[in-house]
Amino acid sequence: MVDWKSKIGKDIEEILMTPEEIDEVTTRIAEELDRDLSDNSGKVIMLGILKGSVVFMSDLMKKVKTPVEIDFMKVSSYKGTETTGRIQILLDLKREDLSDATVVIIEDIIDSGMTLSYLTDYLRLNGAKCVKTCTLLDKPSRRKVDFVPDYVGREIPDKFVIGYGLDFDEKYRTLPFVGVLAQSVYDPDWSAK
Ligand code: IMP
Ligand code: MG
């Protein structure tokens, strides 16, 4: 069997979260969601933001005991390792029942905060009864807009990370851990420095 180390080991500078740590974090967040949502009247929708959140979302939805529906939106703002600052909705949420729903947005990571603050406002404007935000990772030092998520797996330093759903130009999403991307991968001059 070809393992990731022999294929892309040099692309990864450091492992930030092992599969075991991720498992603990998703268990803890599922318990927090159950605690807060158990006496909720009306429906709960876990809204995964494609594509980065799919692995996190699929682990979390299996651990949550509260009955929830799932749905997805797709947005884009990134090119390579930098945000363009413009949020584009690529797949919209077309539902008539938002006024009866608590929507829990599931994200992979918060960086500038623009994606989640935009989506929170967007869902409220579209009539959602309540909007909560949940992210696996948070880089608070990178904020461009004030935004505090309701549920956070772990805060991390200002490093570009990949794996467990997170990508760099669509690569590395299937890795079972979160790792720091080696600078040589996205900065062609790096090895010469
Ligand atoms: P924000 O709008 O700047 O908060 O960016 C959030 C989105 O940027 C996330 O959903 C990711 O798709 C992407 N992103 C931000 N930081 C990283 C990273 O370190 N690795 C992979 N994707 C990232
Ligand atoms: Mg994303």
Side-chain angles (χ1 to χ4, degrees), residues 26-98:
T26 52
T27 301
R28 194 235 319 139
I29 294 180
E31 284 167 4
E32 290 174 9
L33 286 169
D34 281 333
R35 182 197 63 205
D36 295 351
L37 299 172
S38 57
D39 48 326
N40 194 279
S41 62
K43 65 180 72 175
V44 178
I45 303 169
M46 277 176 78
L47 179 68
I49 306 307
L50 297 170
K51 302 172 197 169
S53 73
V54 288
V55 189
F56 178 42
M57 169 106 162
S58 66
D59 279 345
L60 206 54
M61 65 195 243
K62 285 181 281 184
K63 292 184 177 182
V64 162
K65 297 190 182 82
T66 313
V68 300
E69 295 185 14
I70 64 162
D71 226 318
F72 294 94
M73 282 181 77
K74 185 171 183 185
V75 298
S76 139
S77 68
Y78 262 63
K79 209 170 183 300
T81 60
E82 285 301 320
T83 180
T84 60
R86 263 179 306 124
I87 316 289
Q88 257 185 301
I89 295 185
L90 304 177
L91 175 70
D92 205 347
L93 183 66
K94 299 265 183 242
R95 296 184 63 130
E96 305 294 321
D97 56 355
L98 288 180

Side-chain angles (χ1 to χ4, degrees), residues 136-172:
L136 175 71
L137 303 167
D138 189 5
K139 294 192 234 180
S141 64
R142 296 264 304 174
R143 279 302 189 285
K144 288 189 185 143
V145 291
D146 248 347
F147 188 84
V148 181
D150 297 298
Y151 305 92
V152 179
R154 189 160 130 200
E155 291 190 355
I156 61 166
D158 177 12
K159 299 200 164 164
F160 198 84
V161 292
I162 43 87
Y164 195 67
L166 291 118
D167 75 308
F168 168 67
D169 280 349
E170 298 301 326
K171 292 189 284 285
Y172 311 107

